[in-house]
């Protein structure tokens, strides 16, 4: 168990960066209402989707890929 | 004790031989475990299916460890917190990757070429995974779970399905979360993968051919048989 003693300190360190001890921030725009955390995740998914479509795949050109 | 003979008549009568014959016909070994994929698969957008699958493996593995050790372990020990967090973040990543996989397949109309069942099993997986994850919230054995279950049961009752299950019943929700719903997710995912193996990965749209058809048609709608 000695090797895992550092584990309980990890949440403490993260809590210092992200203070979660408060109600969630909520975005409210007309009919749309969602938490700021969910909005961040949705934006991240859109960014990753765009990157997955546009970014070149390693080794594709070397195999004679056209795009 | 009787022994089977190798005559065609006995093979036809044997249900195991019939199932084997149909299985090999539907999915010959070179299709089930291919060693090559088409060139168009070399794109990042094709990676998100296997990323979803990898997340599911971590979910099942970490969830099995949590089930073995119990709530006292996952709430009050450091290593228990670690596996609890791993389980949560694997679920977050599972949905993250699955949504991008869904978007990618939607925009390339992945149901083309007789792949309707591939699309349907993927969509059903997504639908079953939602209650599978939500029952995890009410299986935590803490105040958070109590709050969520008392709020959610009002929603279920308002939707008219509250008589079929009780979100305040921990034993029932835990059974749903660790057995019934994961078994359904894994079963449909296996069917999804076997169907992908059978039909192959959906190819991208042939834009070059479509441009040629549009050009030949004076810019008007081309009758190329493509779905609209």
């Amino acid at each position: 168990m000695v090797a895992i003693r550092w584990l309980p300190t990890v949440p403490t360190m993260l809590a210092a960066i992200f203070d979660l001890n408060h109600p969630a921030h909520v975005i409210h725009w007309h009919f749309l209402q969602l938490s700021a955390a969910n909005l961040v995740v949705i934006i991240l998914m859109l960014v990753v989707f765009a990157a997955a479509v546009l970014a070149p795949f390693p080794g594709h050109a070397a195999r004679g890929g056209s795009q | 004790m009787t022994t089977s003979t190798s005559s065609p008549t006995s093979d036809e009568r044997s249900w195991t031989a019939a199932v084997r014959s149909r299985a090999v016909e539907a999915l010959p070994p070179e299709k089930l475990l291919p060693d090559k994929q088409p060139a168009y698969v070399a794109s990042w957008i094709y990676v998100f299916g296997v990323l979803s699958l990898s997340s599911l493996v971590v979910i099942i593995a970490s969830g099995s460890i949590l089930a073995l050790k119990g709530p006292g372990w996952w709430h009050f020990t450091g290593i228990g917190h670690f596996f609890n967090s791993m389980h949560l973040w694997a679920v977050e990543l599972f949905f993250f990757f699955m949504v991008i996989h869904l978007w990618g397949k939607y925009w390339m109309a992945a149901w083309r070429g007789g792949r309707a069942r591939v699309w349907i099993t993927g969509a059903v997986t997504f639908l079953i995974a939602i209650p599978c994850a939500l029952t995890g919230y009410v299986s935590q054995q803490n105040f958070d779970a109590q709050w969520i279950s008392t709020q959610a049961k009002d929603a279920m009752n308002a939707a008219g399905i509250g008589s079929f299950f009780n979100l305040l019943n921990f034993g029932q929700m835990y059974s749903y979360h660790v057995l019934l719903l994961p078994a359904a997710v894994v079963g449909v995912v296996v069917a999804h993968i076997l169907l992908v193996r059978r039909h192959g990965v959906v190819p991208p749209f042939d834009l070059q051919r479509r441009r040629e058809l549009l050009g030949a048609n004076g810019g008007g709608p081309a009758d190329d048989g493509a779905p609209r």
Side-chain angles (χ1 to χ4, degrees):
Chain A
M1 294 297 282
V2 174
I4 55 164
R5 273 192 185 156
W6 58 273
L7 280 172
T9 65
V10 173
T12 312
M13 287 193 306
L14 289 179
I17 302 167
F18 302 107
D19 180 15
L20 299 174
N21 193 23
H22 58 74
H25 296 291
V26 176
I27 313 292
H28 194 183
W29 183 69
H30 296 285
F31 67 93
L32 194 66
Q33 184 174 330
L34 75 169
S35 70
N38 279 345
L39 183 64
V40 168
V41 171
I42 291 166
I43 291 169
L44 267 177
M45 285 194 296
L46 289 168
V47 169
V48 172
F49 177 72
V53 171
L54 299 173
F57 195 77
H60 181 51
R63 285 195 288 267
S66 57
Q67 292 176 32
Chain B
M1 182 179 165
T2 56
T3 53
S4 62
T5 62
S6 58
S7 70
T9 312
S10 67
D11 272 0
E12 283 164 12
R13 283 183 181 175
S14 163
W15 70 268
T16 50
V19 169
R20 184 182 64 230
S21 162
R22 287 190 66 177
V24 172
E25 189 184 337
L27 263 176
E30 62 275 13
K31 264 190 167 184
L32 183 64
L33 295 168
D35 53 359
K36 283 179 189 162
Q37 288 290 345
Y40 56 77
V41 174
S43 161
W44 286 111
I45 198 65
Y46 284 98
V47 171
F48 287 88
V50 80
L51 283 176
S52 307
L53 198 60
S54 308
S55 307
L56 183 62
V57 170
V58 177
I59 291 168
I60 299 292
S62 58
S64 301
I65 294 167
L66 291 174
L68 276 172
K69 304 294 283 186
W73 182 75
W74 74 58
H75 278 311
F76 299 114
T77 68
I79 191 77
H81 282 154
F82 176 75
F83 274 93
N84 198 13
S85 299
M86 186 191 283
H87 193 62
L88 169 74
W89 286 105
V91 173
E92 302 279 357
L93 287 174
F94 178 62
F95 278 95
F96 191 97
F97 294 140
M98 193 163 49
V99 167
I100 296 173
H101 182 57
L102 172 72
W103 288 346
K105 295 302 162 186
Y106 175 79
W107 289 110
M108 66 175 76
W111 48 83
R112 286 175 294 145
R115 294 179 178 83
R117 283 182 296 169
V118 181
W119 172 261
I120 290 167
T121 50
V124 169
T125 301
F126 187 72
L127 292 177
I128 301 173
I130 293 169
C132 192
L134 293 180
T135 49
Y137 283 120
V138 297
S139 300
Q140 297 175 93
Q141 285 275 279
N142 58 8
F143 286 129
D144 196 24
Q146 287 184 20
W147 170 259
I148 292 167
S149 57
T150 48
Q151 296 298 305
K153 58 99 175 149
D154 291 337
M156 295 300 112
N157 290 341
I161 53 176
S163 60
F164 295 101
F165 49 86
N166 180 7
L167 274 88
L168 300 176
N169 183 340
F170 168 76
Q172 189 184 35
M173 288 302 104
Y174 193 65
S175 304
Y176 280 30
H177 182 67
V178 304
L179 177 65
L180 299 177
L181 293 169
V185 168
V186 170
V188 183
V189 164
V190 168
H192 184 69
I193 293 165
L194 292 178
L195 284 165
V196 171
R197 291 298 196 204
R198 183 175 182 187
H199 295 284
V201 179
V202 67
F205 285 109
D206 190 349
L207 294 179
Q208 184 62 39
R209 182 168 169 268
R210 194 160 175 81
R211 276 193 209 103
E212 287 167 8
L213 285 165
L214 283 168
N217 219 17
D223 184 19
D224 59 351
R228 294 194 174 84

